[in-house]
Amino acid sequence: MTDSDIDVLNKRFGAPGRIAFRRGEAGFPVAALVSRYGTCEVSLYGGHVLSYRPTGHGPVLFLSKRSYYEQGKPIRGGIPICWPWFGPGKEPGQPMHGLARLTQWDLRATEYSSDVAELRLSLSDTEQTRRLWPFAFELSLCVRLGQRLSLELTTFNRDAKPFTITQAFHPYLRVRNIQDVTVLGLDQAAFSDCLTRQSGTHVGPLTVRAETDRLFTPLRPECALHDQSLGRVLAMTFSGTPQMVVWNPWIAKDKAMPDFGDDEYTSMICLEPANAKDSPVTLAPGESHTLALALQATLT
Ligand code: BG6
């Protein structure tokens, strides 16, 4: 994207002091939103929230120093969107976690008021998406920066046949030290472990002391990340799925990922509202489904 394309976005969708566009890494267009409650940045590549900073707090999201910013590769950190499948694809050549995080989205609208700044993006099928996933669709993402950061991802079936998706918001939440955080809200949650294939019921607060890749069904669609050394609680609520994944790559996997700095696993945890393989969504022609997520930080 050129500087004059960015000028066009600013003229059409910008609002002085509240909503502005710039060329980000690799020329990807990035929108910056400001409200009295904080700031956030969204990359049009991937429909990907890159940063979120509520007023009076440090950054809430982790973004790897080694992330790729390259067409065809996902950004490592922020809030990737996994769609229309979560995890590996079923067919050869289908990229991990789907096509939405690897595609440039269209900007549809921006809005602001004294309290809120909002961005609406959309993604529709093209010849390229139909090669990876043979359906007509429309995907819409609303990012709303108010007292909370809220994301709504709506899938519309524009095809003549039904289709089934799995999907997730994949937020990388920044922590001061993974050893000092607990996840609350998973007590009595059924889980299945993606590493050991074991399943069971979780008891008490969750701590992370090893590679973790576990799908939970909490009793309520919410959880809280308590970071003792930051003195911060991050409350997460979600809807559109009863399930969420907790992921941390830990030492060996961290080292094996070329787009992840050594020891960065100590600074993040992913809490991912997900329609995973046992909670897929099937949409008949004309039907839609919304997956939503909201984050709110408070000091302890
Ligand atoms: C998580 C999965 O959601 O994403 C993990 O549960 C996976 O299995 C992780 O390793 C990261 O995936 P990627 O494709 O962004 O490296």
Side-chain angles (χ1 to χ4, degrees):
M1 185 157 282
T2 65
D3 286 343
S4 66
D5 296 327
I6 294 289
D7 288 346
V8 170
L9 286 179
N10 274 312
K11 283 207 184 87
R12 191 159 164 217
F13 294 106
R18 304 297 303 279
I19 300 167
F21 297 85
R22 65 173 173 84
R23 264 165 64 98
E25 302 267 0
F28 293 156
V30 171
L33 305 183
V34 178
S35 83
R36 70 161 93 168
Y37 297 111
T39 58
C40 85
E41 290 191 306
V42 184
S43 167
L44 270 53
Y45 178 75
H48 194 127
V49 177
L50 297 173
S51 67
Y52 169 43
R53 187 166 192 153
T55 306
H57 294 270
V60 160
L61 300 176
F62 163 91
L63 190 58
S64 173
K65 294 188 188 82
R66 293 239 193 112
S67 176
Y68 295 120
Y69 295 93
E70 221 178 294
Q71 187 69 49
K73 292 192 174 164
I75 296 169
R76 176 71 68 193
I79 310 184
I81 290 176
C82 306
W83 188 97
W85 57 86
F86 176 73
K90 285 188 186 143
E91 309 294 331
Q94 287 187 326
M96 175 80 176
H97 287 330
L99 56 88
R101 66 178 184 165
L102 307 176
T103 309
Q104 170 109 2
W105 293 51
D106 294 319
L107 184 57
R108 289 292 174 204
T110 52
E111 267 179 48
Y112 66 98
S113 65
S114 56
D115 287 346
V116 177
E118 188 177 301
L119 190 70
R120 286 176 189 274
L121 305 179
S122 74
L123 187 64
S124 302
D125 57 295
T126 59
E127 215 180 300
Q128 202 187 345
T129 67
R130 286 191 296 271
R131 252 182 282 166
L132 289 171
W133 194 65
F135 296 101
F137 67 85
E138 193 185 330
L139 192 55
S140 122
L141 176 70
C142 177
V143 179
R144 189 175 298 120
L145 176 68
Q147 268 183 306
R148 312 183 302 164
L149 177 72
S150 314
L151 270 66
E152 281 178 15
L153 180 71
T154 303
T155 304
F156 299 89
N157 183 341
R158 301 285 189 229
D159 209 281
K161 321 180 270 297
F163 61 60
T164 298
I165 57 165
T166 54
Q167 60 179 347
F169 287 118
H170 197 307
Y172 284 72
L173 305 175
R174 179 187 285 265
V175 299
R176 183 163 285 164
N177 185 337
I178 189 69
Q179 309 267 2
D180 293 333
V181 304
T182 45
V183 182
L184 308 174
L186 298 176
D187 188 33
Q188 303 306 319
F191 71 80
S192 63
D193 195 294
C194 308
L195 301 169
T196 63
R197 305 283 155 211
Q198 284 173 331
S199 53
T201 302
H202 184 80
V203 179
L206 177 91
T207 52
V208 175
R209 297 285 182 272
E211 184 181 354
T212 302
D213 193 348
R214 200 169 258 206
L215 177 67
F216 291 90
T217 308
L219 299 187
R220 283 184 297 281
E222 59 190 36
C223 66
L225 179 65
H226 185 190
D227 189 325
Q228 278 159 31
S229 40
L230 273 185
R232 181 168 79 189
V233 174
L234 190 64
M236 183 171 96
T237 54
F238 55 95
S239 61
T241 180
Q243 297 192 304
M244 57 176 275
V245 171
V246 178
W247 181 65
N248 181 291
W250 215 250
I251 302 164
K253 192 155 192 186
D254 172 323
K255 287 200 189 323
M257 293 193 293
D259 57 342
F260 208 64
D262 285 352
D263 294 337
E264 282 192 326
Y265 78 94
T266 60
S267 311
M268 52 69 66
I269 183 170
C270 291
L271 303 179
E272 311 161 31
N275 294 103
K277 57 181 179 333
D278 44 359
S279 53
V281 176
T282 298
L283 296 176
E287 281 187 338
S288 67
H289 171 271
T290 299
L291 179 67
L293 157 75
L295 296 172
Q296 185 165 24
T298 48
L299 297 173
T300 54

